[in-house]
Each structure stands twice: as structure tokens, then as C-alpha cells.
Amino acid sequence: MSRGSRRFLACMMTFTILTGVWVLVYLLPYEKFVYQNSKPCSYGGVGRDLYNLEGYRGGEGFKVVNASVLSQPVPKTSDGFFVLKIRAEALQPMGVYRPAAYDTTYTAYETNVFKVALLRTREGYAQYYMASFAGGEQIPVLLNDRLVSIPRSGEVILPVGQLHMDSNLAKVYQGSLADDWYIDTASGFENSQAMKQFYTTRDIAAAVLFIIVGIGTIVCIMVWQKHKRQG
């Protein structure tokens, strides 16, 4: 085998290993297991330690806002936390993604799903969904759809949320927005201890897997070359 062929083989091997590790470790939504197995927190627990939660899946003390009931409009206050109950048919993806964690810039919007898949190797991304209430009101909901499985139909209860403002969303969204309010159901759990530990474990697993697969591939090539010379 010539030097050029060995270099080409090495490049192809490296590309194949990197692609395989990325698909196996980063592409699959392992976050769902972290969310499902996290401990629910109480309203008082959120108030005491907002940025260091062990769980963010609801629990005792949270107000439930039912989007299917006419008497429950979109809340217009940023005080407190609540759980949004809504039918899946009334929750439509807006095609706008944004980093969910509090320590990342809120202006780093993305509308390309393939770029988001690549960016998820560094940070968690959530998508804006348009929630339609029974009274005709609409409000965007920032939701990490890698955590929560949204069915095709039927009711779904979203993670604990809080009302915030995002004046930059209208600049990247193609539709119309009534105002700057949105319900953030992604940032709380993204900043939880469970997710921070998950990201650390995921990166370590990717590095270990890359080394193991790389060494195994090199050994296989060396054995193949040895047999080829002997034959």
C-alpha cells in the first residue's frame, strides 16, 4: 500500500469514527431518560434553588393552566411557576430554536434543524412552539422536544414553566406574534444538576468511545496488512 493510499485510508477511518461516535452519542435523544428519571421538585424547592435543581418535572404546589378551558387565558405575569396542560393539536412547532440554558446567549437563534443537530454537541437547544388556548389566544412556548414526547393527539402536560419576554423572537419568526411574552418550559430543567451531569457523562462517553473504536480500527488495519503481506 502506497503512502498516499495509507493517508487516504487514515482520513476515511477518522471521518467514519467521528461520524459514528457523533451519531451514537449525540444524535439520539438520551435526554428523555434523564427527564423521566429525575426527581420531581416542589414549588418551594424551585423558589429556594432555581438554577441548581435536581428535578423540574412538576410536583406539589404548582398551578395548572389548562389551555382547553375558556376560563383560563394565557397568564400575563412573570411571577411564579405553573404547569401548562394542552392538547397536542394546539401545540404547533414554530421552526425557531434557541439555547435553553440560562448561561447561554438568548440571541443565538437557529432555524435550520441540521445545524441544531450539530450544535447540540455543545449545548442544549429548545424549539419554540405556538400554543393556542381555547379562548383564541396564542403564546409561544420554549420547549425542549428532546425531553418531552409530544403525541400526535391528546393532552400533554409540559414541564414547569415561567412567563418571560423575548423581543428578538419576532425578528427570526416568519409568522405574526401578538406580543413579546413566551412561556419558558425548557430553561429550568436544562440548568438542573441532572442535565449538567448528563452533559459531562455524554462528553466523557464520546471521548472513551472514540479512543476504543480508533484503537480497534487501527489494530484491524494492522492485522489486515500483515495477512496481506503474508499472503
Side-chain angles (χ1 to χ4, degrees), residues 17-32:
I17 293 173
L18 287 173
T19 303
V21 170
W22 175 77
V23 170
L24 183 62
V25 178
Y26 292 104
L27 190 61
L28 299 178
Y30 299 111
E31 296 93 327
K32 290 183 184 294

Side-chain angles (χ1 to χ4, degrees), residues 120-147:
R120 279 180 177 143
T121 60
R122 297 187 294 109
E123 56 195 13
Y125 264 72
Q127 180 176 192
Y128 277 104
Y129 282 75
M130 183 63 76
S132 299
F133 279 59
E137 299 165 289
Q138 289 186 317
I139 185 170
V141 178
L142 185 64
L143 174 64
N144 189 343
D145 44 23
R146 288 175 65 89
L147 289 177

Side-chain angles (χ1 to χ4, degrees), residues 84-104:
L84 180 63
K85 186 176 182 181
I86 188 171
R87 294 194 62 82
E89 298 89 337
L91 202 61
Q92 299 299 321
M94 297 170 63
V96 179
Y97 299 82
R98 200 194 73 186
Y102 286 118
D103 55 358
T104 56

Side-chain angles (χ1 to χ4, degrees), residues 6 17 38 91 106-107 117 142 144-145 168 170 172 182:
R6 288 196 296 269
I17 293 173
S38 65
L91 202 61
Y106 279 1
T107 58
L142 185 64
N144 189 343
D145 44 23
N168 294 305
V172 292
Y182 76 98

